[in-house]
Amino acid sequence: QVQLVESGGGLVQAGGSLRLSCAATGRTLSNYAMGWFRQAPGKERESVAAISGGGGTTYYADSVKGRFTISRNNGENTVYLQMNSLRPEDTAVYYCATAVNTARLRAGVLCDYWGQGTQVTVSS
């Protein structure tokens, strides 16, 4: 049984920072790409960032480039999303997911497992 558990969400003022974590059990993450998605009320889910199994390849949505950093610690079976310079438009539920490669995460298709999500709220 694979489980992904996100943590680190919360309420922050615009310009602030948060660090999200996604811990996996039941699967060795180093064999899989990992990604972060978000979904705001009334909007479609969007891919935010992705990282390959070894960490050598990363992807960022244009809206978060230069502000968000995805990283992973395969020894701890955890992936992170460092979010800096947060904006009110970053407010959403953030989910982590696994896939066989970053292309699938980038497209948001054929992702194997999903976490339950963590709420991020950025006040203006």
Side-chain angles (χ1 to χ4, degrees), residues 58-80:
T58 56
Y59 156 78
Y60 296 95
D62 288 342
S63 57
V64 306
K65 277 181 185 175
R67 301 188 298 122
F68 290 11
T69 303
I70 189 170
S71 62
R72 64 192 299 158
N73 183 327
N74 287 337
E76 295 183 355
N77 237 23
T78 302
V79 64
Y80 304 95

Side-chain angles (χ1 to χ4, degrees), residues 4-76:
L4 303 178
V5 179
E6 301 97 336
S7 62
L11 173 64
V12 64
Q13 287 188 328
S17 299
L18 284 173
R19 188 193 196 204
L20 305 184
S21 300
C22 173
T25 58
R27 165 172 280 190
T28 300
L29 283 190
S30 59
N31 297 330
Y32 298 90
M34 296 292 297
W36 287 95
F37 294 78
R38 67 186 181 187
Q39 187 164 21
K43 294 188 176 182
E44 291 188 356
R45 185 181 64 203
E46 64 171 331
S47 178
V48 173
I51 187 167
S52 59
T57 300
T58 56
Y59 156 78
Y60 296 95
D62 288 342
S63 57
V64 306
K65 277 181 185 175
R67 301 188 298 122
F68 290 11
T69 303
I70 189 170
S71 62
R72 64 192 299 158
N73 183 327
N74 287 337
E76 295 183 355

Side-chain angles (χ1 to χ4, degrees), residues 26 78 90 105 107 111 118:
T78 302
D90 294 319
L105 291 164
C111 298
T118 185

